[in-house]
Amino acid sequence: MNRGAFRSWIIGLLVVLAMVALLTTFMNGQPSPQSGLTLSDLARDIKAGKVQQITVAGDDLRVRYTTNPQQERITRKEHSIDLTETMRRLGVTDAQLVAVKLEVVAPSFWTNWGPLIGSILPVLLLGGFIFLMMRQAQGGNNQAMSFGKSRARMFGGDKPTVTFVDVAGVEEAKHELAEVVEFLKEPEKFIALGARIPKGVLMVGPPGCGKTLMAKAVAGEAGVPFFSISGSEFVEMFVGVGASRVRDLFEQAKRHSPCIIFVDEIDAVGRHRGAGLGGSHDEREQTLNQILVEMDGFDTDTNVIIIAATNRPDILDPALLRPGRFDRRVIIDRPDKQGRRHILDVHVRGKPLDRTVNLDTVAKLTVGFSGADLENLVNEAAILAARRNAKAINMKDITEAVEKVTAGPERKSRVISPQDKRIIAVYEAGQAIVRHALPNCDPVHKISIVARGMNEGYVTSRPEEDRTMTPKAKFEDEIAARLGGRAAEELSFGDVTVRAHDDLERATKFARMMVTQFGMSEALGPIMFGEKDELVFLGREIGEQRNYSEAVAQRIDREVQRIVNEGYERARSVLTAQREQLNALANLLLERETVDSNEFEALFDQQPQAGMAAA
Ligand code: ADP
Ligand code: MG
């Protein structure tokens, strides 16, 4: 505890002590109601004619006796019943009463309010104490009242600091977000056509690729205020604070509408509910629920759009992703060669470059770099140039900076060697070609050899229609496609690498599911094998209980093996037949890093030409 906080503790303590002291002296200075004289004693004395005068002050009675008129004895009557009535009940006749001189005076302040103050004061003191403690826990002076207030920082919409020009290499994402900008600028246009304005946009992508930058650019383009908060800022030590902060944030946003709320790293609060061990009512969950409630509570004419960013979309609660919430997903991926070139262009603005510098070459050198890495690279190069007292950055500065950034401790993506790059290209090409050839695979959408998350390279395919009733043939084709990468490696290099690991795992899993869960194996028939154990606590399956014999287990294994092997053979025969396309695609990937569906389809349109570059 720091010195300031310690001092206010002491002051608080002193105030309390002073009040207690004051209270006790006050009480002592006052007549104590119990002084030995009871009401029946009084009645007896009146009957005996010993009482000269009674002064009534509220409920207090001061009694003077004829025997000793100088001394007052004190007692209390019952509240709400007056004295004559009380005495009559105790058998005092009216005649006897008349003999006593009755005097009524205004009750003193203390007799009126004393009991009340006495009962309220401790409560007040306690309240004050708790208040002080809260203040200390907050560690600040004026934060006690703003405990449940959101911590969002607001950036005004009047002077755009970042625009789309500053974000490079993510053209698809820009295109999708341009729509959001239009919504914010001219909502009437969309409302007139009865269109529902999207409420939430989820930006997904690896760190450093420009998610935060992109959100700022959207606000800058639309010229609206921008509230920025990080998911972890909602959650505090005290329960209920997160939810109250969410409420406050949305209140503020509605007041500034149209505007953008940006929740960075939303996975901190948006994690799958019921997946933790903290029971169902933990703080994070309440916060998430509040976000969902607020998003549902928006009227269609509130022009508040929520943009959230995460690099773990897989752990988000499904409720966040359904329509009416974060129903738009924008992928912000690591840039490919062309993208890197554009990002470099953005960051060399205002930095003098030597004639030796060729940014295309730099883009080629920096496979796997994210936008943040490239920014860092340019900065390092500028520092190197300044240190040699040069007027401009030259190519040597840049290559040195590449080494520096690559070797640096914070390097997350690594540079891939040419051999590895070739293997990745062949692998991905193989998978894409098998997918293309088999009738039940989804069409190939994009092929890339740029690192994404943990694995370098990927083929994305998108289903043409929704099918939840997956037929057996589709499983078989999917398994063959997964094994296409390995088959391509084997065909091209005569050897295989660890590259296939993930796909082998998937293919085997599919094959096992076909046999044990969907009854798709003729040898074993339509039987489900194994019972799933579910741990309610974790909300996840944790294992499988075997309910079949060892002999059946062996047959299952054999069936799985057969399915996988057949898939592999099919992949091989496809690739052997389309060897030219495989080589052409691999070369295209090596050159361009990403190939989209049009370029991919074009490979199959042209007649295979003799002498096309061999892998
Ligand atoms: P994220 O939020 O995805 O982790 P940021 O948006 O914070 O990444 O990016 C960090 C920095 O890297 C940005 O401030 C910017 O200078 C640079 N940067 C990242 N991506 C890009 C890009 N696509 N274009 C230009 N600069 C970028
Ligand atoms: Mg960020």
Side-chain angles (χ1 to χ4, degrees):
M1 201 184 285
N2 61 31
R3 271 184 61 188
F6 187 64
R7 209 169 49 203
S8 18
W9 267 102
I10 294 288
I11 292 174
L13 212 63
L14 284 180
V15 169
V16 171
L17 281 180
M19 286 180 117
V20 170
L22 208 65
L23 193 65
T24 29
T25 36
F26 226 131
M27 296 284 249
N28 285 347
Q30 282 304 310
S32 134
Q34 269 83 40
S35 63
L37 184 70
T38 64
L39 285 176
S40 36
D41 288 343
L42 181 62
R44 187 196 59 214
D45 293 343
I46 293 177
K47 280 189 237 168
K50 287 198 224 157
V51 177
Q52 187 188 48
Q53 183 186 6
I54 300 176
T55 314
V56 183
D59 291 339
D60 284 342
L61 307 174
R62 299 207 290 274
V63 187
R64 276 174 210 271
Y65 282 83
T66 40
T67 44
N68 186 3
Q70 256 60 54
Q71 205 203 336
E72 275 187 343
R73 294 189 67 184
I74 286 151
T75 184
R76 270 184 92 89
K77 76 173 177 67
E78 263 175 78
H79 188 64
S80 80
I81 306 176
D82 69 30
L83 184 63
T84 28
E85 185 57 36
T86 314
M87 287 301 125
R88 266 189 214 123
R89 283 190 198 170
L90 288 167
V92 179
T93 60
D94 286 353
Q96 285 163 337
L97 260 181
V98 171
V100 180
K101 187 174 165 211
L102 268 184
E103 196 181 61
V104 177
V105 299
S108 75
F109 167 82
W110 191 250
T111 25
N112 242 4
W113 298 105
L116 196 65
I117 292 176
S119 57
I120 284 178
L121 203 61
V123 178
L124 281 180
L125 284 179
L126 203 68
F129 224 24
I130 289 173
F131 180 78
L132 276 175
M133 267 170 61
M134 294 258 293
R135 244 171 107 126
Q136 297 309 326
Q138 272 282 291
N141 283 328
N142 43 14
Q143 277 179 1
M145 297 314 289
S146 62
F147 201 54
K149 289 272 157 61
S150 89
R151 297 276 174 84
R153 292 162 299 279
M154 186 180 136
F155 303 94
D158 24 345
K159 43 177 193 327
T161 43
V162 182
T163 59
F164 278 158
V165 183
D166 301 302
V167 195
V170 277
E171 296 310 317
E172 271 178 60
K174 242 194 245 184
H175 191 73
E176 287 196 51
L177 288 168
E179 212 174 78
V180 173
V181 171
E182 261 187 77
F183 276 134
L184 286 167
K185 267 187 169 159
E186 299 177 87
E188 315 83 30
K189 200 167 86 183
F190 294 88
I191 291 167
L193 285 172
R196 184 171 55 81
I197 297 205
K199 283 182 193 162
V201 178
L202 183 67
M203 283 199 293
V204 178
C209 288
K211 296 186 293 296
T212 310
L213 191 69
M214 190 61 135
K216 281 188 187 154
V218 171
E221 287 282 330
V224 298
F226 177 77
F227 292 88
S228 170
I229 191 165
S230 160
S232 56
E233 283 173 87
F234 285 121
V235 184
E236 280 264 357
M237 186 170 80
F238 296 97
V239 175
V241 170
S244 128
R245 284 197 180 147
V246 171
R247 237 170 286 139
D248 187 66
L249 174 62
F250 280 79
E251 270 310 310
Q252 267 188 53
K254 273 181 223 163
R255 258 181 276 133
H256 289 91
S257 144
C259 69
I260 291 177
I261 298 179
F262 178 57
V263 186
D264 212 349
E265 320 288 346
I266 197 173
D267 41 293
V269 284
R271 220 166 263 253
H272 214 296
R273 280 174 293 182
L277 282 170
S280 62
H281 277 288
D282 77 14
E283 170 67 357
R284 206 164 36 70
E285 243 168 60
Q286 281 189 24
T287 310
L288 174 57
N289 283 339
Q290 191 62 40
I291 294 181
L292 296 181
V293 166
E294 293 287 349
M295 286 184 86
D296 283 346
F298 273 179
D299 297 332
T300 30
D301 55 345
T302 0
N303 297 315
V304 179
I305 291 186
I306 304 147
I307 301 183
T310 179
N311 42 29
R312 296 292 313 275
D314 49 319
I315 60 167
L316 289 185
D317 195 285
L320 268 177
L321 305 176
R322 62 140 243 229
R325 287 161 184 170
F326 291 102
D327 43 1
R328 298 214 167 188
R329 232 186 226 230
V330 175
I331 309 240
I332 304 218
D333 243 333
R334 285 225 172 92
D336 60 5
K337 196 164 91 192
Q338 219 184 3
R340 291 197 297 272
R341 170 70 220 258
H342 291 317
I343 295 176
L344 284 169
D345 280 337
V346 168
H347 290 291
V348 296
R349 250 190 266 149
K351 295 190 178 72
L353 294 181
D354 198 280
R355 263 188 301 128
T356 54
V357 175
N358 182 344
L359 290 181
D360 282 321
T361 319
V362 181
K364 213 164 168 181
L365 276 176
T366 47
V367 186
F369 273 47
S370 69
D373 289 333
L374 291 171
E375 187 206 2
N376 192 13
L377 165 74
V378 174
N379 191 43
E380 286 291 340
I383 290 173
L384 287 173
R387 281 187 34 200
R388 16 173 223 107
N389 294 321
K391 291 230 158 48
I393 302 169
N394 67 18
M395 197 62 182
K396 197 162 156 291
D397 294 323
I398 294 189
T399 40
E400 240 174 83
V402 171
E403 270 162 41
K404 209 168 163 183
V405 173
T406 317
E410 290 191 21
R411 186 89 191 90
K412 284 177 200 86
S413 40
R414 57 206 151 86
V415 169
I416 303 162
S417 76
Q419 294 101 299
D420 283 0
K421 203 167 155 185
R422 167 142 226 113
I423 292 172
I424 295 167
V426 167
Y427 188 96
E428 300 304 332
Q431 203 175 107
I433 298 226
V434 175
R435 254 178 217 289
H436 180 264
L438 299 180
N440 292 300
C441 285
D442 301 326
V444 172
H445 175 68
K446 185 177 168 191
I447 314 152
S448 166
I449 58 168
V450 184
R452 170 179 184 166
M454 291 300 288
N455 49 323
E456 306 88 5
Y458 54 93
V459 174
T460 48
S461 50
R462 286 195 183 158
E464 275 175 325
E465 52 190 330
D466 277 341
R467 293 199 64 172
T468 41
M469 298 297 121
T470 314
K472 181 179 166 192
K474 174 144 194 195
F475 271 113
E476 285 168 352
D477 284 2
E478 182 67 31
I479 291 172
R482 292 268 170 193
L483 297 168
R486 191 189 189 83
E489 270 186 310
E490 208 193 325
L491 281 175
S492 299
F493 308 115
D495 196 4
V496 291
T497 64
V498 294
R499 171 106 195 113
H501 173 267
D502 268 356
D503 287 321
L504 289 187
E505 190 182 325
R506 285 289 181 88
T508 318
K509 212 172 186 168
F510 280 146
R512 188 164 283 277
M513 270 160 68
M514 283 171 70
V515 178
T516 62
Q517 286 176 41
F518 306 132
M520 287 176 176
S521 148
E522 267 136 46
L524 285 153
I527 299 171
M528 162 133 173
F529 299 99
E531 267 169 17
K532 290 257 176 309
D533 265 349
E534 240 179 61
L535 195 60
V536 180
F537 229 166
L538 292 167
R540 297 258 158 85
E541 281 166 20
I542 52 159
E544 205 188 59
Q545 195 125 36
R546 235 172 80 169
N547 61 356
Y548 44 84
S549 70
E550 191 57 44
V552 171
Q554 280 181 16
R555 285 171 64 201
I556 291 176
D557 289 344
R558 263 203 303 278
E559 270 299 279
V560 171
Q561 227 161 44
R562 179 187 64 79
I563 293 173
V564 172
N565 283 339
E566 278 178 16
Y568 190 63
E569 282 315 313
R570 285 176 68 207
R572 263 181 73 105
S573 59
V574 167
L575 291 174
T576 321
Q578 303 190 359
R579 193 64 195 266
E580 272 103 34
Q581 279 92 340
L582 173 64
N583 292 339
L585 180 57
N587 287 334
L588 197 60
L589 276 172
L590 276 176
E591 187 194 318
R592 300 261 278 282
E593 295 184 3
T594 47
V595 171
D596 66 22
S597 55
N598 293 336
E599 293 164 313
F600 178 64
E601 292 296 336
L603 283 179
F604 297 92
D605 291 344
Q606 48 190 262
Q607 285 300 315
Q609 292 159 14
M612 214 175 203

